[in-house]
């Protein structure tokens, strides 16, 4: 991500990346690059088999303007995330709005 982006943990296994002044196509590109990197980089663990392959599902939502709230934006991103999980996991899904 860029220096102006904000990355934070949002729950037990959820993270949020806020990307100001970014269109959905660029956010999708960054998200898919991150997804592929995680998918192809096993995590080393101390027990057999010694490595663990993991994947991630990502939901993207775009702000609808100055009247949009953080709660509404997070809700749309969460809905997109759950669509990614329901449709096979290990994928990026953008909010339809």
């Amino acid at each position: 991500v860029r220096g102006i982006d904000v990355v934070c943990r949002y729950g037990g296994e959820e993270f949020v990346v806020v990307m100001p002044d970014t269109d959905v196509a660029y956010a999708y590109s960054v998200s898919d690059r991150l997804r592929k990197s995680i998918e192809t980089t096993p995590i080393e663990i101390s027990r057999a088999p010694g490595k663990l392959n993991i994947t991630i599902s990502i939901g993207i939502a775009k702000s609808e303007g100055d009247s949009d709230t953080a709660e509404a934006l997070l809700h749309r991103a969460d809905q997109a995330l759950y669509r990614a999980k329901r449709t096979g996991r290990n994928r990026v899904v953008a909010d339809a709005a």
Side-chain angles (χ1 to χ4, degrees), residues 29-94:
S29 173
V30 170
S31 298
D32 202 46
R33 189 174 66 231
L34 175 63
R35 183 197 62 76
K36 288 175 182 174
S37 177
I38 289 172
E39 177 184 39
T40 59
T41 308
I43 305 283
E44 292 191 28
I45 58 175
S46 59
R47 298 185 179 158
K51 292 184 180 181
L52 182 63
N53 294 315
I54 64 171
T55 61
I56 62 170
S57 298
I58 299 174
I60 297 173
K62 182 179 191 287
S63 174
E64 295 178 348
D66 291 340
S67 63
D68 205 5
T69 65
E71 291 80 13
L73 184 59
L74 285 169
H75 177 73
R76 292 193 309 276
D78 203 41
Q79 294 301 309
L81 167 65
Y82 283 102
R83 265 197 317 282
K85 290 180 177 186
R86 279 193 312 270
T87 58
R89 301 182 180 264
N90 192 32
R91 62 187 63 228
V92 178
V93 171

